[in-house]
Amino acid sequence: MKNPLDSVGFTLTLGVLLAIVVMVLPMTPGGDFSQLSLARWGHIVAGVFWIGLLYYFNVVQIPALAAANADKGGPGGAGITKYVAPRALLWFRWAAVATWLTGAWLLSERLVPAFTLQEGNVVIGIGAWLGTIMLFNVWVLIWPNQKKVLGIVAASDEEKAKARRTATLASRTNFLLSIPMLMCMGGASHGLPF
């Protein structure tokens, strides 16, 4: 029998099923999981995927590719750009969408007050705006340019260099914005007064 942990998809499915089992256990605090709890859980899981990959790209992959490309006698970055980056970018961009949608679901009736920064919603509103800007960057700046860099879309060497720079700067902007965004999300959900 094959080990179910050998498959990422099966492992993810098992994790979701285990979480559902935990949700229905009578010993859970409060004894029930409401729509709000499901939205919060989905938002956190999707956010961990999205921001985890954002940090991976900025702290690990981009510097590693620069070092690999500078190492004239080394193996270069072809393995990363051919096998790792396309898969990571797939999860990255769809985790961004899932994070934003579950965040909107979590806010539900507070969505408009948050985005209009109404009293009592300023902290979460700033976090929501930062997340929205980051989502925009993923789909409008990072992904279209990464398609050129990775050869998914035909581009000249000059276009690839420009696309690489644009994607890197947009990714670094998201990295920067993620830090205050996470502070706002944590502060709003834990009632911190900032």
Side-chain angles (χ1 to χ4, degrees):
M1 185 167 131
K2 188 175 178 180
N3 186 332
L5 299 179
D6 287 335
S7 163
V8 172
F10 197 74
T11 303
L12 182 59
T13 302
L14 283 177
V16 170
L17 291 173
L18 183 58
I20 291 169
V21 168
V22 170
M23 279 187 224
V24 298
L25 289 176
M27 63 184 170
T28 57
D32 70 333
F33 279 81
S34 65
Q35 175 184 355
L36 183 64
S37 295
L38 290 173
R40 185 177 311 280
W41 174 65
H43 188 59
I44 290 168
V45 170
V48 167
F49 266 91
W50 181 20
I51 300 305
L53 284 165
L54 174 67
Y55 288 7
Y56 160 78
F57 286 131
N58 281 277
V59 176
V60 178
Q61 185 173 299
I62 293 171
L65 279 171
N69 290 331
D71 183 1
K72 297 304 177 200
I80 294 172
T81 58
K82 183 175 181 180
Y83 299 105
V84 177
R87 181 173 292 189
L89 285 163
L90 173 76
W91 282 93
F92 175 70
R93 65 185 187 270
W94 289 108
V97 170
T99 303
W100 197 94
L101 290 174
T102 54
W105 178 27
L106 182 59
L107 285 172
S108 51
E109 70 276 348
R110 290 179 58 202
L111 185 67
V112 172
F115 274 99
T116 56
L117 304 176
Q118 293 178 20
E119 187 176 339
N121 294 284
V122 174
V123 173
I124 195 66
I126 291 170
W129 271 110
L130 292 173
T132 302
I133 293 165
M134 292 167 63
L135 176 69
F136 175 88
N137 286 345
V138 167
W139 283 93
V140 175
L141 298 172
I142 297 170
W143 177 234
N145 283 290
Q146 282 293 351
K147 288 192 289 187
K148 292 177 186 174
V149 172
L150 297 173
I152 297 168
V153 170
S156 67
D157 288 343
E158 183 180 314
E159 290 169 326
K160 286 181 182 181
K162 183 179 177 189
R164 183 177 294 109
R165 180 75 176 147
T166 300
T168 298
L169 289 176
S171 185
R172 285 286 160 81
T173 298
N174 277 8
F175 185 39
L176 179 145
L177 295 178
S178 73
I179 297 165
M181 185 268 305
L182 289 170
M183 182 187 70
C184 289
M185 297 302 180
S189 66
H190 294 289
L192 298 178
F194 51 75

